[in-house]
Amino acid sequence: MPEKLLDIKNLRVVYKTDNDLIYAVNGVDLSLEKGEVLGLVGETGAGKSTIALSIMKLLPAKVGSITDGSITFDNKNLIDASEADMRAIRGNDISMIFSDPMSSLNPLLTVGDQIAEVIEMHEFDLSSGEIRKKVDDMLELVGIPHSRKHEYPHQFSGGMRQRIVIAMALACNPRLILADEPTTALDVTIQAQVLKTMNELKEKMDTAMILITHDLGVVAQMCDTVAIVYAGEIIEYGTAEMIFEGKDHHPYTVGLFNSIPDIKSKARRLSPIDGLMPDPAQLPKGCRFAERCRYCRDVCREKEPGTHIFDDGHMIKCFLFERKEAIGRR
């Protein structure tokens, strides 16, 4: 039986500002097995990064807070973990890769010193020589000559900086990596190289990963399972095959796919999803997607849709499939 590494139940997160209470994550359930890659897909502001920051307990102090739910990692309750416990977990058991490598690296320290710092914080039994050797190995592992370890971040290209961040994230062999749009700032060629590096390292180290992205092409290349996130909720979940090849989808998922250029068709214009996500400080009463949905009915504006789970485990949160269940699938 697969080993469950991460289990999130009914996670709710709010941000408190001077004027509003922002409902960023609203009842998210997720689980991740050892070695699995889960893609979190959705528009900017959907709550994807907040989910990752909640796992790391890195929400902005006095602004962001977890109001409900549980986060269990390797049978440890992270919600109740102390800051000292989380410092031991971050970088060692769970690492995070951010979208902008330049803001993740210290411009005043060499890249070798920054990788060494991660190792020193968690592997206390290593000598200085062993740490230097491991720094060299990590740089070579991500395709950077170890002779460049004495150079500073500004001396590297964007793709190489991202590889250095990946080396830092993998330095202590974590069991879970949270990759928050790790290729957004890169051009297509470098993006392909970085994704290939991440995939090879994941396979080599058997590391689980949550990949946060809005790029469905990246999801198809990297992910085993996919969760579609909208307004702080997971509205569709399934294997990558279910999401990309299945016939049943949430209207929002259909809109995401229709927004991608199709090389097989000669359409003159893309088909974007009309409208905007609801204000997270004033979420609507019923379905969060109702005002943008072509299939919207009165019930969608009045009631929150239930979760429909098909026999194969594919989950969709939409009234369309409650009705479909009642009349039978065609």
Side-chain angles (χ1 to χ4, degrees), residues 117-135:
E117 184 179 19
V118 175
I119 300 169
E120 289 169 356
M121 289 182 65
H122 297 288
E123 300 188 11
F124 308 108
D125 56 338
L126 296 183
S127 66
S128 57
E130 289 172 325
I131 291 174
R132 288 195 298 271
K133 176 65 166 58
K134 189 163 186 178
V135 169

Side-chain angles (χ1 to χ4, degrees), residues 94-147:
I94 307 175
S95 289
M96 194 159 183
I97 302 171
F98 294 95
S99 58
D100 182 5
M102 199 59 186
S103 63
S104 303
L105 296 169
N106 189 332
L108 302 179
L109 297 177
T110 66
V111 298
D113 285 344
Q114 294 185 62
I115 298 172
E117 184 179 19
V118 175
I119 300 169
E120 289 169 356
M121 289 182 65
H122 297 288
E123 300 188 11
F124 308 108
D125 56 338
L126 296 183
S127 66
S128 57
E130 289 172 325
I131 291 174
R132 288 195 298 271
K133 176 65 166 58
K134 189 163 186 178
V135 169
D136 293 349
D137 291 343
M138 292 309 302
L139 286 171
E140 295 287 346
L141 192 63
V142 296
I144 296 176
H146 70 269
S147 58

Side-chain angles (χ1 to χ4, degrees), residues 7 15 27 42 55 64-65 77 81 113 128 146 161 166 169 186 190 198 217 238 254 258 305 319 328:
D7 192 27
Y15 292 112
I55 296 170
S65 61
N77 184 351
D113 285 344
S128 57
H146 70 269
R161 284 197 292 265
I166 292 170
L186 307 177
I190 302 303
M198 290 176 63
V254 175
N258 288 342
F319 282 114

Side-chain angles (χ1 to χ4, degrees), residues 150-180:
H150 300 297
E151 297 181 20
Y152 293 86
H154 72 271
Q155 294 176 276
F156 294 86
S157 67
M160 295 184 82
R161 284 197 292 265
Q162 192 63 288
R163 289 177 185 226
I164 292 164
V165 171
I166 292 170
M168 292 173 64
L170 294 172
C172 295
N173 300 325
R175 286 175 289 170
L176 173 60
I177 293 177
L178 308 175
D180 189 357

Side-chain angles (χ1 to χ4, degrees), residues 26-270:
N26 305 296
V28 163
D29 294 331
L30 277 178
S31 64
L32 192 68
E33 297 171 358
K34 182 179 179 182
E36 180 184 351
V37 180
L38 167 67
L40 292 185
V41 181
E43 294 172 84
T44 299
K48 308 183 299 296
S49 297
T50 297
I51 294 171
L53 292 173
S54 299
I55 296 170
M56 295 285 279
K57 292 190 74 173
L58 289 176
L59 294 169
K62 300 181 180 180
V63 176
S65 61
I66 298 171
T67 59
D68 198 4
S70 64
I71 303 174
T72 305
F73 174 76
D74 193 25
N75 297 318
K76 299 174 186 174
N77 184 351
L78 299 187
I79 298 288
D80 297 332
S82 67
E83 181 57 27
D85 290 337
M86 289 306 302
R87 280 198 298 269
I89 291 172
R90 297 184 196 118
N92 192 34
D93 294 315
I94 307 175
S95 289
M96 194 159 183
I97 302 171
F98 294 95
S99 58
D100 182 5
M102 199 59 186
S103 63
S104 303
L105 296 169
N106 189 332
L108 302 179
L109 297 177
T110 66
V111 298
D113 285 344
Q114 294 185 62
I115 298 172
E117 184 179 19
V118 175
I119 300 169
E120 289 169 356
M121 289 182 65
H122 297 288
E123 300 188 11
F124 308 108
D125 56 338
L126 296 183
S127 66
S128 57
E130 289 172 325
I131 291 174
R132 288 195 298 271
K133 176 65 166 58
K134 189 163 186 178
V135 169
D136 293 349
D137 291 343
M138 292 309 302
L139 286 171
E140 295 287 346
L141 192 63
V142 296
I144 296 176
H146 70 269
S147 58
R148 299 194 65 181
K149 65 182 177 182
H150 300 297
E151 297 181 20
Y152 293 86
H154 72 271
Q155 294 176 276
F156 294 86
S157 67
M160 295 184 82
R161 284 197 292 265
Q162 192 63 288
R163 289 177 185 226
I164 292 164
V165 171
I166 292 170
M168 292 173 64
L170 294 172
C172 295
N173 300 325
R175 286 175 289 170
L176 173 60
I177 293 177
L178 308 175
D180 189 357
E181 303 198 17
T183 59
T184 297
L186 307 177
D187 62 56
V188 176
T189 304
I190 302 303
Q191 173 179 317
Q193 294 174 5
V194 170
L195 288 175
K196 181 181 178 183
T197 300
M198 290 176 63
N199 214 16
E200 289 173 350
L201 296 177
K202 183 201 79 69
E203 294 294 334
K204 184 175 182 179
M205 297 182 168
D206 197 25
T207 302
M209 184 187 302
I210 295 179
L211 179 62
I212 298 169
T213 183
H214 57 264
D215 189 331
L216 288 167
V218 172
V219 172
Q221 180 179 345
M222 295 285 292
C223 298
D224 302 308
T225 52
V226 183
I228 308 296
V229 186
Y230 185 81
E233 297 180 334
I234 293 177
I235 58 174
E236 184 167 356
Y237 174 86
T239 64
E241 184 178 1
M242 293 171 188
I243 300 300
F244 284 86
E245 302 293 339
K247 65 177 183 179
D248 293 312
H249 295 295
H250 191 283
Y252 178 64
T253 307
V254 175
L256 291 178
F257 278 105
N258 288 342
S259 299
I260 302 173
D262 185 354
I263 61 173
K264 296 180 181 179
S265 68
K266 295 183 179 181
R268 300 180 66 179
R269 295 179 64 87
L270 296 178

